Amino acid sequence: FGLTAPLITRADGGKFGKTEAGTIWLSADRTSPYAFFQFWLNTDDSDVIRYLNLFTFFTRAEIAELQAAHEKDPGGRSAHRALARHMTELLHGESERAQAEAAAQALFSGEIATLPERTLAEVFASVPTSEHDKAQLGAGVPLSDLLALTTLAKSKREAREFLASGSVAINGRKAGADDKATTADLLHGSLIALRRGKKNWHLTRWK
């Protein structure tokens, strides 16, 4: 005798499996709790209720309530958050779930300065990075110069325009046109995170 079940697929037709792109693993060393949380949080709208039924231990009444909230306000993403919280806590425990959720909120708000080093590394694991000489920070590096060395600006002129418009932040703090990066800006002694707009991040490493 055999027990079979249909393959679980995503909205785009992709399968859940280790040969697929964007695979998630159950072990924290392969997929961090933060990345695991983000996977479920970013579930396609058309999949979220199905995944709540397939993967969670919510009751039918609880899922029906989440479905009603989702249909009424898809942008509120209450079903997605419930899925991400439940699955992360189920696998990694309450403290790791809380830390992953706090990290996600910090990245959204830009307030990253208080994140632990390990969490900071997880949050910025997939953003562009660059390495720089730490000695330069002694005199301070103009942000217009630094931005031009990252993926956030194509030239110093463009960097100055972004700074003048107030669209640049350093470690979550809004930067001015004449601001410089200094040793005081280093997070955990070696990192400075730059952001342009709401979602464009670049992590600089100083050695």
Side-chain angles (χ1 to χ4, degrees):
F1 297 89
L3 179 65
T4 65
L7 289 172
I8 300 172
T9 58
R10 299 188 292 266
D12 61 4
K15 301 188 297 268
F16 272 72
K18 65 180 183 296
T19 59
E20 295 293 312
T23 294
I24 57 166
W25 299 80
L26 299 183
S27 53
D29 60 327
R30 300 295 297 271
T31 299
S32 70
Y34 172 77
F36 191 77
F37 182 89
Q38 286 294 310
F39 174 85
W40 299 106
L41 188 64
N42 293 323
T43 296
D44 190 277
D45 283 358
S46 61
D47 284 330
V48 65
I49 302 303
R50 185 162 61 94
Y51 289 175
L52 284 168
N53 279 288
L54 283 171
F55 294 116
T56 75
F57 291 103
F58 288 131
T59 65
R60 289 183 180 275
E62 288 171 326
I63 294 174
E65 186 176 339
L66 287 167
Q67 183 172 3
H70 174 65
E71 291 173 351
K72 182 178 180 180
D73 180 21
R77 301 182 70 77
S78 56
H80 298 74
R81 287 196 301 275
L83 176 64
R85 288 169 178 165
H86 182 91
M87 294 302 295
T88 306
E89 187 165 326
L90 184 66
L91 181 62
H92 295 292
E94 184 178 357
S95 62
E96 290 289 358
R97 187 272 304 159
Q99 188 167 310
E101 195 168 5
Q105 178 58 35
L107 187 64
F108 177 78
S109 66
E111 298 175 0
I112 61 166
T114 59
L115 291 178
E117 186 172 6
R118 192 200 77 174
T119 306
L120 195 67
E122 293 176 359
V123 166
F124 290 109
S126 61
V127 307
T129 63
S130 55
E131 293 191 358
H132 307 269
D133 183 2
K134 193 174 183 178
Q136 296 177 340
L137 293 175
V141 179
L143 289 184
S144 55
D145 292 348
L146 181 56
L147 282 171
L149 300 175
T150 72
T151 56
L152 301 180
K154 297 177 182 178
S155 65
K156 293 182 181 180
R157 179 187 62 78
E158 188 176 56
R160 286 192 291 269
E161 290 176 356
F162 290 145
L163 287 162
S165 68
S167 63
V168 176
I170 178 170
N171 294 338
R173 185 190 77 250
K174 187 175 180 179
D178 299 319
D179 282 4
K180 295 181 178 182
T182 70
T183 53
D185 295 308
L186 288 172
L187 301 178
H188 306 292
S190 63
L191 306 171
I192 295 176
L194 302 170
R195 182 176 70 168
R196 176 172 57 80
K198 292 184 177 181
K199 297 183 178 180
N200 299 305
W201 287 91
H202 186 102
L203 186 65
T204 59
R205 299 181 182 276
W206 301 82
K207 297 182 178 180

